[in-house]
């Protein structure tokens, strides 16, 4: 079971003594078509819930292992929660459900009053939390996630050389003369190679709960491989790491293998959802990482979320935004937001990633973003095409 699955049940049990005023919004993301359940869309749905509860100190948001999204809050009226559910649904284009939700109907969301009509919610929370932590994953056509498969892959990761599964993509800086300069290379694991090696015919990304359970093991495998690399001194690269992995013994061993000048070449990318979910751990770890020489990058931002995120004082050197076509219509708003942040002395360099079409590069240039990453950028650099 995931930590969020367990925490929801614990939280609901803690509220049994004083349920008055507590309401729950349950959005059924897992029942939506698989191609819509992207990280970008999930991020926007989460942002809608966080906007609604920003000033509500009693609220808690849970992203379940099977991608259900649940908000427990107090003294927020039902009308406001319905509006929030509509905004979350908008992130997925108000699409209809692909199959019945966990309550057996076709609704995108359900609202509950704790202590009154929450019987189905309690049953769901208990099923999600145990005893074996198995829960139907909508992305796997109704089949339960296979715990034996998960255990087998975890064991194989500890003994397999994953070097052939490692891919990378360069981040480039574009100067005022349109000259392109390599800045650092993002290192990541090929999901296709993982599937071919460990579970042929099974989609890891399609089974979100299974893949989420593997991220810490993947982080450990990558860190272990890099710790055994003889010389990293001439390589500047970034790693996508969970905060739990950064606080692990594996990261400590990786860190111990580096000289100070090598640490200065490493950028640690932290996904914004991990930052929000484990903010206190981030605040504890970040100053020490920067003091040792690492650079920090917040990953997976989008234009619509920027106004809700203040990066000042958080030790980030870079902020990576993902391109999507909505940014084309929001380019003036984005330009104003980034200009304001620059004038406020935020001290963060923005990267526009997933630049896979001309619109992405055009918007990046118009709003003053000069750090780019994407397939089109790679193609243009390879063929000496001016950016």
């Amino acid at each position: 079971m995931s930590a969020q699955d367990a925490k929801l049940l614990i939280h609901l049990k803690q509220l049994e003594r004083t349920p008055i005023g507590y309401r729950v919004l349950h959005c059924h993301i897992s029942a939506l078509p698989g191609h819509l359940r992207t990280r970008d869309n999930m991020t926007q749905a989460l942002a809608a819930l966080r906007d609604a509860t920003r000033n509500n100190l009693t609220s808690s948001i849970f992203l379940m292992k099977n991608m259900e999204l649940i908000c427990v809050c107090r003294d927020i009226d039902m009308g406001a929660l319905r509006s929030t559910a509509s905004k979350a649904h908008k992130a997925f284009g108000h699409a209809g459900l692909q199959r019945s939700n966990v309550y057996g109907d076709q609704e995108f969301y359900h609202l509950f009053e704790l202590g009154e009509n929450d019987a189905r919610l309690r049953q769901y929370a208990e099923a999600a939390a145990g005893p074996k932590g198995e829960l139907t994953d909508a992305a796997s056509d109704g089949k339960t996630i296979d715990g034996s498969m998960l255990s087998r892959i975890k064991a194989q990761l500890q003994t397999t050389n994953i070097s052939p599964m490692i891919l990378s993509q360069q981040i480039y800086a574009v100067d005022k003369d349109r000259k392109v300069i390599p800045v650092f290379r993002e290192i990541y694991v090929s999901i296709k190679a993982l599937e071919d090696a460990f579970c042929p015919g099974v989609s890891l990304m399609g089974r979100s709960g299974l893949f989420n359970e593997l991220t810490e093991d993947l982080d450990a495998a990558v860190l272990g491989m890099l710790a055994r690399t003889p010389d990293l001194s001439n390589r500047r690269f970034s790693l996508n790491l969970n905060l739990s992995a950064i606080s692990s013994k594996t990261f400590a061993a990786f860190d111990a293998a580096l000289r100070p000048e090598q640490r200065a070449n490493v950028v640690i990318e932290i996904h914004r959802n991990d930052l929000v979910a484990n903010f206190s751990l981030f605040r504890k770890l970040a100053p020490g990482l920067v003091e040792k020489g690492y650079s920090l990058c917040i990953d997976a931002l989008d234009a619509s979320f920027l106004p809700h995120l203040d990066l000042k004082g958080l030790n980030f050197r870079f902020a990576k935004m993902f391109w999507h076509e909505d940014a084309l219509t929001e380019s003036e708003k984005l330009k104003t937001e980034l200009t304001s942040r620059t004038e406020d002395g935020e001290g963060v360099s923005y990267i526009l990633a997933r630049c896979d079409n001309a619109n992405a590069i055009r918007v990046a240039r118009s709003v003053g973003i000069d750090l780019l990453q994407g397939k089109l950028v790679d193609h243009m650099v390879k063929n000496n095409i001016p950016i």
Side-chain angles (χ1 to χ4, degrees):
M1 103 188 101
S2 76
Q4 292 285 292
D5 292 1
K7 287 179 180 178
L8 173 65
L9 182 60
I10 292 169
H11 189 57
L12 292 178
K13 287 185 175 181
Q14 289 173 338
L15 295 178
E16 285 179 351
R17 303 185 196 91
T18 56
I20 304 303
Y22 279 95
R23 298 183 172 101
V24 177
L25 169 61
H26 186 165
C27 297
H28 304 295
I29 313 299
S30 69
L32 290 169
H35 71 279
L36 295 177
R37 298 194 302 271
T38 65
R39 186 163 64 177
D40 288 352
N41 290 348
M42 284 298 301
T43 295
Q44 292 181 53
L46 277 165
L49 269 63
R50 293 193 181 106
D51 284 347
T53 59
R54 188 170 304 280
N55 298 318
N56 189 293
L57 299 180
T58 61
S59 66
S60 299
I61 297 173
F62 302 88
L63 177 57
M64 307 296 281
K65 184 171 69 173
N66 70 334
M67 297 182 75
E68 296 288 276
L69 193 55
I70 298 173
C71 175
V72 182
C73 56
R74 186 176 185 181
D75 297 331
I76 297 181
D77 64 56
M78 289 296 197
L81 289 177
R82 289 190 184 93
S83 177
T84 298
S86 179
K87 291 177 182 177
H89 200 181
K90 182 181 178 182
F92 305 95
H94 290 295
L97 271 57
Q98 179 175 273
R99 54 178 62 81
S100 296
N101 59 43
V102 296
Y103 301 129
D105 58 40
Q106 295 292 318
E107 300 296 327
F108 171 73
Y109 72 92
H110 283 81
L111 293 172
F112 300 97
E113 292 269 7
L114 287 192
E116 295 181 15
N117 66 335
D118 64 351
R120 289 190 297 172
L121 173 68
R122 303 271 176 163
Q123 291 172 1
Y124 167 80
E126 289 170 357
K132 295 182 180 180
E134 291 189 347
L135 186 64
T136 297
D137 186 308
S140 59
D141 295 324
K143 297 179 182 179
T144 57
I145 293 173
D146 190 342
S148 62
M149 178 187 294
L150 176 63
S151 299
R152 176 173 55 80
I153 296 175
K154 284 175 174 280
Q156 286 181 296
L157 277 172
Q158 296 179 22
T159 58
T160 301
N161 176 16
I162 67 165
S163 299
M165 305 176 198
I166 299 295
L167 299 178
S168 65
Q169 188 172 45
Q170 185 74 52
I171 288 88
Y172 297 95
V174 184
D175 66 16
K176 61 182 180 180
D177 297 321
R178 300 173 70 182
K179 182 180 179 181
V180 178
I181 305 165
V183 180
F184 61 86
R185 184 172 289 276
E186 179 185 359
I187 293 175
Y188 60 95
V189 179
S190 166
I191 303 304
K192 178 65 166 61
L194 275 176
E195 292 169 350
D196 291 344
F198 298 138
C199 51
V202 175
S203 171
L204 289 176
M205 292 302 289
R207 298 185 176 192
S208 59
L210 178 56
F211 185 73
N212 289 341
E213 291 286 346
L214 283 174
T215 54
E216 191 167 338
D217 298 87
L218 287 172
D219 287 351
V222 172
L223 288 169
M225 180 204 72
L226 290 172
R228 296 188 296 271
T229 300
D231 186 11
L232 298 175
S233 58
N234 296 320
R235 298 171 58 190
R236 194 167 189 213
F237 60 90
S238 72
L239 298 171
N240 294 275
L241 296 177
N242 285 347
L243 290 165
S244 58
I246 297 172
S247 59
S248 69
K249 292 181 179 179
T250 306
F251 183 83
F254 165 76
D255 176 69
L258 301 181
R259 300 186 302 275
E261 62 270 22
Q262 292 174 316
R263 294 191 187 100
N265 283 333
V266 180
V267 179
I268 297 175
E269 298 194 31
I270 299 169
H271 194 280
R272 86 176 211 206
N273 290 349
D274 191 24
L275 173 72
V276 172
N278 301 287
F279 189 67
S280 58
L281 178 58
F282 170 79
R283 293 300 294 264
K284 179 181 178 181
L285 294 173
L289 292 170
V290 173
E291 185 177 346
K292 286 186 174 183
Y294 297 104
S295 296
L296 302 184
C297 173
I298 182 169
D299 187 28
L301 298 180
D302 60 57
S304 63
F305 192 72
L306 275 181
H308 310 292
L309 186 67
D310 184 359
L311 297 179
K312 285 187 290 188
L314 295 186
N315 294 288
F316 286 114
R317 182 175 176 184
F318 301 100
K320 181 182 287 187
M321 295 174 54
F322 289 162
W323 164 259
H324 55 87
E325 289 298 328
D326 288 348
L328 186 62
T329 58
E330 299 173 356
S331 57
E332 286 304 316
K333 180 180 177 182
L334 178 59
K335 184 175 182 179
T336 301
E337 178 68 26
L338 291 177
T339 300
S340 173
R341 286 168 175 263
T342 302
E343 291 175 350
D344 287 345
E346 189 182 41
V348 177
S349 297
Y350 284 86
I351 303 165
L352 188 62
R354 301 183 180 175
C355 292
D356 299 334
N357 60 49
N359 283 336
I361 295 176
R362 189 178 303 118
V363 169
R365 294 185 63 189
S366 72
V367 302
I369 296 177
D370 57 10
L371 295 176
L372 305 177
Q373 180 186 33
K375 294 177 182 177
L376 179 58
V377 182
D378 292 336
H379 171 77
M380 294 175 76
V381 171
K382 181 179 179 181
N383 292 281
N384 294 315
I385 302 172
I387 292 180

